[in-house]
Amino acid sequence: MGAPVATPPASPPSGGAPRKPSKGLPQSGSTWHLSDRIGLAICWALGLLFCAIAVAIVAYLFVQGIKYLRPEMLFTPATAGFSQGQTGGFSDAFFGTLIVATMGIAIALPVGVGVAVWLVEYGRPAALARVTESTIEAIAGIPSIVLALFGTVIFSSAALGFLSRTSEGVVFGRSFFGASAMLSLVALPLVVASTREGLSAIPQHVREASYAVGKTKIATARRILLPAARPQVATGAMLGLGRIIGDTAIIVVLLGATQNFAPVEGAAFPFNYLRGAGTTLTNFVYEASPTGNLNQPEKAYAAAFVLLLMVLALNAAVDIVHRRARKVGTWSS
Amino acid sequence: MVVPAPSHNGNGAATPSGFSGARRSIGSPQFSIRRMEVDQLSVSYAAREAVKSVSLPIRQGEVLAMIGPSGCGKTTLLRSLNRLTELTRTARVSGRILLDDVDIGLIEPTLLRRRVTMVFQQPNPFPMSVFDNIAYVLREQGSRRQRRKTLEPQVHSALDRAGLFEEVKDNLDHPALRLSGGQQQRLCIARALAAEPEVLLLDEPCSALDPQSTQVIEDLIVNLRDDVAVVIVTHNLQQAYRIADHVAFMYLGDLVEYGAATTVFGSPREKRTQEYVSGAFG
């Protein structure tokens, strides 16, 4: 060590004039192989292709949606009729979507955040934490139609008869309660994963700073960690909401997929509606499309456009939360 | 490797040990009251012993600096003073630490940590306003109760003690993470002082800061020593020399030397101390 061998740092390989500075892409004669170039070109092309697909979907639905959507459709229930002008709107499907989204996330968000806090901040006993993790991964992997079938078994049981319609001792099992409960399972893994990511990104010394002024773990989680992880919690909630409003299988199997609300007689508002069957926009789009029973494509486009607007609004909301968080700043690592 | 003889290293004024001295910015203590007593403390992580049977006093009216190379156990020792070591599952602590003659093992950790507060290496204000950063400490656990009005005097006085009030008094509602690094660190000191502690622990509080902010914080530390016992861990020997009354030199978990700063830097008893302060290793 320490031998006086002068190694010139990064000099041109051949002792001549320094190489011409390349701008952006490397010039010929560089270390770039033909295969690298082809690979990069394919990546570019794929990126452009996906952009084009997204733009095409959104543009097409916007054009069709603006053409066919009338605001009154959101407030007129569907009725039977022989032409598309006579079948009313899809208010029940629209409000059905709002109901399952609200109830689904109202279950998934607190439960998911609670599970994430427990996993990241406590995680004891370790065996239970491992089981919880794999359970949540398993739920994330189960197709929603399977969840729906399982849900019918659960919610048709006599003990849960108060959550749906019961007639002559038979529990119908299909209701907004049941569908929302199962849909919350669809959203739960997304909420948990995103919240965990947010909590794990907080440096350990920030937690310790809170413990070091005499705060308990739970106070630290409530007042410091969860507010700091708010953008990721919001992202998880929005992704979960997107999955809930986009799901069809659970709606068909566990909500009854009726054309209109089917409130339970004799129950008090709003439980008469929540215990009854109903429908959502995704199911309406399916039924109104040429493959469905209604075959009224104009309404299908209008309803699909409403769904698209909802998803775009969710994306915008996530953006706003993230932008606000950037204003508050973060720690240097 | 030959141990270099104590010599001048080109910087001019060198102390007899070879420590190229900084100027001391601390006068001799006016008084000193023993607040904590570390007695035969050992801390180990799994199989590794990080602190080996260390005993030393911590006094109000003085600044105690802990120096030593990385991994010598000084931060572990600091963290055991407010039982933060307990957050590390593998950590095992033996020996006794007394706070005002009471074994800290008998004090509820949340209460202990309000009496022995801590400032960390990285400035870590909470993601809330400047005001709320202090108010959080004053409030009961996770509570939001207690109006701003009632907390205002305490918040202002904590900021004032940390020399930050004049700079932020018009921006108390601004996000704390938008302050400069030096201001953030002083906010963390204000936060630690808001609990009215008896002992203030500082874990390399200036290592992430520029020289100017460092100077401001050093002056602040010197001013605080009469109100609160100050313990600072530092990698920076000049810093220890500038602001410490007593210095504890640790090496591989052992407390090699403990004594007055002028003695440890000027004429250390131990050879290892002399080598370290003269820059032979570290």
Side-chain angles (χ1 to χ4, degrees), chain B residues 217-249:
Chain B
I217 288 186
E218 285 182 4
D219 292 345
L220 173 62
I221 292 169
V222 171
N223 286 331
L224 283 172
R225 66 174 176 168
D226 288 345
D227 297 340
V228 57
V230 180
V231 185
I232 179 170
V233 161
T234 179
H235 259 119
N236 183 333
L237 293 176
Q238 272 85 2
Q239 181 172 64
Y241 186 72
R242 283 193 297 266
I243 65 172
D245 297 294
H246 277 85
V247 172
F249 169 59

Side-chain angles (χ1 to χ4, degrees), chain B residues 1-77:
Chain B
M1 187 82 216
V2 181
V3 179
S7 69
H8 293 264
N9 54 7
N11 284 349
T15 55
S17 75
F19 178 73
S20 62
R23 207 155 47 85
R24 272 172 70 75
S25 53
I26 194 164
S28 48
Q30 303 298 309
F31 64 92
S32 83
I33 310 165
R34 181 167 294 205
R35 293 325 284 258
M36 291 187 98
E37 178 81 50
V38 179
D39 184 18
Q40 302 280 311
L41 179 79
S42 297
V43 185
S44 56
Y45 298 112
R48 195 173 64 84
E49 209 171 16
V51 174
K52 298 172 191 162
S53 190
V54 169
S55 303
L56 52 80
I58 292 163
R59 303 191 188 94
Q60 184 178 336
E62 296 182 354
V63 175
L64 167 64
M66 299 209 265
I67 59 170
S70 305
C72 69
K74 53 194 191 305
T75 296
T76 299
L77 174 56

Side-chain angles (χ1 to χ4, degrees), chain A residues 47-211:
Chain A
L48 287 176
L49 179 68
F50 280 118
C51 286
I53 291 173
V55 168
I57 293 172
V58 172
Y60 182 70
L61 277 174
F62 259 86
V63 170
Q64 298 288 8
I66 289 166
K67 192 156 52 169
Y68 297 123
L69 180 65
R70 301 282 167 272
E72 64 267 21
M73 286 178 184
L74 294 178
F75 303 102
T76 327
T79 47
F82 287 109
S83 77
Q84 294 198 43
Q86 296 172 324
T87 50
F90 43 79
S91 65
D92 290 2
F94 177 61
F95 287 111
T97 293
L98 294 185
I99 291 171
V100 292
T102 310
M103 287 173 55
I105 207 67
I107 301 170
L109 190 60
V111 174
V113 168
V115 169
V117 167
W118 180 73
L119 282 174
V120 178
E121 301 303 321
Y122 297 87
R124 296 267 130 171
L128 184 61
R130 270 202 303 279
V131 170
T132 310
E133 271 177 29
S134 14
T135 311
I136 290 166
E137 275 165 28
I139 291 174
I142 296 174
S144 65
I145 187 77
V146 177
L147 287 179
L149 279 179
F150 180 68
T152 48
V153 175
I154 301 283
F155 289 100
S156 302
S157 65
L160 294 177
F162 67 97
L163 290 177
S164 66
R165 184 192 302 272
T166 311
S167 100
E168 293 169 5
V170 178
V171 178
F172 188 52
R174 291 165 186 183
S175 70
F176 276 101
F177 279 123
S180 303
M182 280 298 144
L183 284 168
S184 73
L185 285 184
V186 172
L188 185 74
L190 295 165
V191 176
V192 173
S194 195
T195 306
R196 283 182 75 180
E197 195 184 303
L199 291 173
S200 311
I202 300 171
Q204 189 60 27
H205 63 83
V206 174
R207 293 176 175 79
E208 290 183 345
S210 179
Y211 305 148

Side-chain angles (χ1 to χ4, degrees), chain B residues 21-229:
Chain B
R23 207 155 47 85
R24 272 172 70 75
S25 53
I26 194 164
S28 48
Q30 303 298 309
F31 64 92
S32 83
I33 310 165
R34 181 167 294 205
R35 293 325 284 258
M36 291 187 98
E37 178 81 50
V38 179
D39 184 18
Q40 302 280 311
L41 179 79
S42 297
V43 185
S44 56
Y45 298 112
R48 195 173 64 84
E49 209 171 16
V51 174
K52 298 172 191 162
S53 190
V54 169
S55 303
L56 52 80
I58 292 163
R59 303 191 188 94
Q60 184 178 336
E62 296 182 354
V63 175
L64 167 64
M66 299 209 265
I67 59 170
S70 305
C72 69
K74 53 194 191 305
T75 296
T76 299
L77 174 56
L78 193 75
R79 290 165 63 90
S80 50
L81 296 178
N82 64 353
R83 290 174 64 183
L84 268 190
T85 34
E86 288 172 14
L87 300 175
T88 313
R89 290 203 177 96
T90 52
R92 294 283 168 275
V93 180
S94 68
R96 271 196 325 168
I97 301 173
L98 303 179
L99 172 61
D100 291 339
D101 298 325
V102 177
D103 192 325
I104 62 167
L106 303 174
I107 305 173
E108 183 68 33
T110 55
L111 291 178
L112 172 69
R113 289 174 194 155
R114 295 182 69 83
R115 297 174 64 189
V116 183
T117 56
M118 183 160 173
V119 174
F120 295 76
Q121 193 171 358
Q122 296 289 340
N124 48 16
F126 300 132
M128 41 176 91
S129 72
V130 172
F131 186 94
D132 285 337
N133 259 275
I134 312 287
Y136 173 72
V137 177
L138 300 170
R139 288 179 175 131
E140 196 61 35
Q141 291 303 341
S143 156
R144 280 200 184 115
R145 255 173 302 164
Q146 277 195 288
R147 291 303 182 93
R148 188 178 170 125
K149 268 262 149 55
T150 60
L151 293 176
E152 219 158 47
Q154 286 167 277
V155 171
H156 290 186
S157 104
L159 288 170
D160 194 45
R161 289 175 75 190
L164 192 60
F165 184 64
E166 285 305 314
E167 289 166 56
V168 299
K169 64 179 177 198
D170 300 321
N171 300 324
L172 289 176
D173 292 317
H174 282 216
L177 282 158
R178 287 284 169 220
L179 297 174
S180 75
Q183 289 176 324
Q184 289 190 10
Q185 196 61 303
R186 275 182 287 150
L187 178 63
C188 293
I189 294 176
R191 201 169 63 188
L193 292 173
E196 300 284 343
E198 287 135 87
V199 181
L200 176 65
L201 311 175
L202 302 136
D203 187 4
E204 299 189 42
C206 301
S207 63
L209 302 181
D210 60 89
Q212 214 169 358
S213 309
T214 300
Q215 162 110 53
V216 173
I217 288 186
E218 285 182 4
D219 292 345
L220 173 62
I221 292 169
V222 171
N223 286 331
L224 283 172
R225 66 174 176 168
D226 288 345
D227 297 340
V228 57

